[in-house]
């Protein structure tokens, strides 16, 4: 998701130790992508800016909690930004995401910008290929949950399934994606 991914681990570690210059560099390397994510969720520049501010405050405060063994730094900060954007939108009484009532597949396509990626979009292509291997319902749920920000309760209502079933589909879908991406 973020360009200089290999450098982000060390920047977050330095920020955890109070290094403001490292945090500034982390911001410079990640802000454009995270702002794009916030805009896609908030659909309002002002709300996206609020989400970004909240996200970077959280990143600064939680930098010591980041564990590179559990995942990539870019994904970690993107989850924080996504969650702050969803929180802000919900506080304003609006639904997160595109609001078009679609299945989220078009939303996923808008996240992929191979021209802007150093790896030429290889990671995005791998994710798309792994998503394509999933059954339709779990795939749609994952995209709606992690791209558009729908909650388990909202997914349960949309798919007319119990919340615990949705939790299971999401957990199994994420496990299948992890296995596929690790291969």
């Amino acid at each position: 998701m973020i360009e200089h991914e290999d450098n982000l681990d060390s920047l977050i570690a330095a920020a955890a130790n109070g290094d403001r210059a490292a945090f500034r560099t982390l911001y410079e390397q990640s802000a454009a992508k995270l702002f794009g994510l916030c805009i896609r969720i908030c659909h309002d520049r002002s709300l996206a800016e609020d989400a970004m501010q909240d996200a970077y405050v959280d990143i600064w405060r939680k930098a010591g909690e980041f564990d590179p063994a559990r995942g990539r730094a870019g994904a970690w900060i993107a989850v924080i930004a996504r969650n702050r954007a969803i929180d802000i939108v919900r506080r304003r009484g609006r639904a997160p995401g595109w609001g078009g009532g679609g299945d989220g597949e078009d939303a996923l396509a808008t996240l992929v910008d191979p021209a802007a990626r150093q790896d030429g979009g290889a990671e995005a292509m791998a994710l798309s290929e792994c998503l394509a291997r999933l059954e339709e319902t779990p795939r749609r749920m994952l995209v709606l949950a992690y791209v558009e920000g729908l909650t388990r309760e909202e997914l349960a209502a949309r798919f007319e399934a119990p919340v615990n079933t949705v939790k299971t589909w999401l957990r199994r879908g994420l496990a299948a994606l992890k296995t596929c991406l690790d291969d």
Side-chain angles (χ1 to χ4, degrees), residues 2-26:
I2 309 295
E3 289 180 23
H4 315 289
E5 181 76 43
D6 54 340
N7 188 35
L8 294 182
D9 288 358
S10 60
L11 292 173
I12 291 173
N17 292 322
D19 185 337
R20 292 178 185 266
F23 188 71
R24 183 178 306 115
T25 303
L26 173 71

Side-chain angles (χ1 to χ4, degrees), residues 14-179:
N17 292 322
D19 185 337
R20 292 178 185 266
F23 188 71
R24 183 178 306 115
T25 303
L26 173 71
Y27 177 85
E28 291 166 356
Q29 290 184 10
S30 61
K33 293 288 185 184
L34 292 187
F35 188 66
L37 174 66
C38 290
I39 283 281
R40 283 189 288 275
I41 293 170
C42 295
H43 295 285
D44 178 278
R45 185 173 189 84
S46 178
L47 292 179
E49 289 169 353
D50 290 347
M52 283 285 289
Q53 181 175 348
D54 290 353
Y56 279 102
V57 168
D58 280 355
I59 291 166
W60 174 258
R61 287 182 185 156
K62 296 178 180 181
E65 298 173 19
F66 173 67
D67 180 3
R70 296 187 66 202
R72 301 180 124 193
W76 184 76
I77 63 176
V79 166
I80 291 173
R82 172 192 169 274
N83 290 344
R84 294 301 70 81
I86 291 170
D87 290 346
I88 283 178
V89 170
R90 287 195 177 130
R91 277 196 305 259
R92 301 284 195 273
R94 295 159 62 190
W98 284 258
D103 64 3
E105 298 292 335
D106 57 333
L108 182 63
T110 66
L111 295 176
V112 180
D113 182 7
R117 300 178 58 91
Q118 283 185 327
D119 67 355
E123 287 182 1
M125 286 176 43
L127 176 60
S128 292
E129 289 173 10
C130 290
L131 279 168
R133 294 180 187 175
L134 295 176
E135 292 180 27
E136 181 182 355
T137 299
R139 179 182 67 246
R140 287 179 52 217
M141 281 190 180
L142 285 171
V143 172
L144 289 168
Y146 292 98
V147 177
E148 292 206 28
L150 270 64
T151 65
R152 286 175 265 184
E153 291 76 15
E154 292 167 332
L155 290 169
R158 181 174 282 193
F159 288 87
E160 299 177 350
V163 173
N164 285 338
T165 300
V166 170
K167 287 180 185 179
T168 300
W169 282 340
L170 289 171
R171 185 177 60 250
R172 288 179 182 166
L174 286 173
L177 278 180
K178 182 178 181 342
T179 299

